[in-house]
Amino acid sequence: MTVLVAGGGIAGLTLALSLHQVGLPVEVFESVATLRPLGVGINLLPHAVRELCELGLEDGLAALAVPTAALAYHSRHGKPIWHEPRGREAGYRWPQFSIHRGALQMLLLETLRTRLGAARFHAGHHLAAYEETATGIRACFRNGATAEGSVLVAFGNTKVLCTSSVEES
């Protein structure tokens, strides 16, 4: 059972690593030709960090991110208005991390290439259409390439044409 993942963002890469961890073959297809660390800072809440830790990424995250101990609001004069502990300081078993979105994506990409092999990540493959086959699904990309698998999971805001080649009986 090969899973085709269309989308090499944070969700697609995390899904691919999770599927690989449980022993499922996976191929990732990304629209852009070269991934670059784009974006702004994001907060990874403890429940999300838990999943990334289960994938063995805690050390990588800790090296790139800031552990968030609290969320606080202050007046323009510095007077405390509100304060709430976060992550481990709030009693969670996992930290909360503040990290640049692009740095997280690059960590996931490098981990995927290391664990699955670089050949399992296909850049420059924008999903254009898919069709059901007798054995699963065929993904068709704008560059003319195709890929076959058992399941297709697509991320992003792409409009994709679905056609069914399996005849109804």
Side-chain angles (χ1 to χ4, degrees), residues 141-157:
F141 303 94
R142 285 188 184 166
N143 64 3
T146 62
E148 296 201 19
S150 302
V151 176
L152 170 66
V153 181
F155 293 94
N157 57 2

Side-chain angles (χ1 to χ4, degrees), residues 146-168:
T146 62
E148 296 201 19
S150 302
V151 176
L152 170 66
V153 181
F155 293 94
N157 57 2
T158 303
K159 293 182 181 176
V160 179
L161 173 65
C162 172
T163 59
S164 177
S165 63
V166 178
E167 294 193 24
E168 305 269 339

Side-chain angles (χ1 to χ4, degrees), residues 91-165:
Y92 289 98
R93 290 180 47 203
W94 302 274
Q96 177 171 323
F97 284 123
S98 298
I99 188 170
H100 187 278
R101 184 212 163 279
L104 173 59
Q105 186 178 14
M106 294 299 106
L107 172 65
L108 292 167
L109 177 60
E110 289 310 311
T111 303
L112 181 125
R113 286 178 170 157
T114 299
R115 294 181 186 174
L116 282 72
R120 297 284 184 164
F121 182 82
H122 309 274
H125 283 67
H126 186 87
L127 183 64
Y130 64 92
E131 59 187 359
E132 295 178 35
T133 67
T135 58
I137 196 146
R138 178 179 302 112
C140 305
F141 303 94
R142 285 188 184 166
N143 64 3
T146 62
E148 296 201 19
S150 302
V151 176
L152 170 66
V153 181
F155 293 94
N157 57 2
T158 303
K159 293 182 181 176
V160 179
L161 173 65
C162 172
T163 59
S164 177
S165 63

Side-chain angles (χ1 to χ4, degrees), residues 30-47:
E30 169 55 36
S31 291
V32 301
T34 303
L35 281 183
R36 294 182 297 146
L38 303 174
V40 297
I42 60 174
N43 280 293
L44 299 174
L45 300 179
H47 60 279

Side-chain angles (χ1 to χ4, degrees), residues 1-8 11-29 55 108 111-113 115-122 147-155:
M1 174 177 172
T2 298
V3 178
L4 308 177
V5 176
L13 294 170
T14 302
L15 173 63
L17 289 168
S18 295
L19 293 170
H20 174 73
Q21 187 175 49
V22 297
L24 293 175
V26 61
E27 300 275 339
V28 178
F29 301 88
L55 292 172
L108 292 167
T111 303
L112 181 125
R113 286 178 170 157
R115 294 181 186 174
L116 282 72
R120 297 284 184 164
F121 182 82
H122 309 274
E148 296 201 19
S150 302
V151 176
L152 170 66
V153 181
F155 293 94

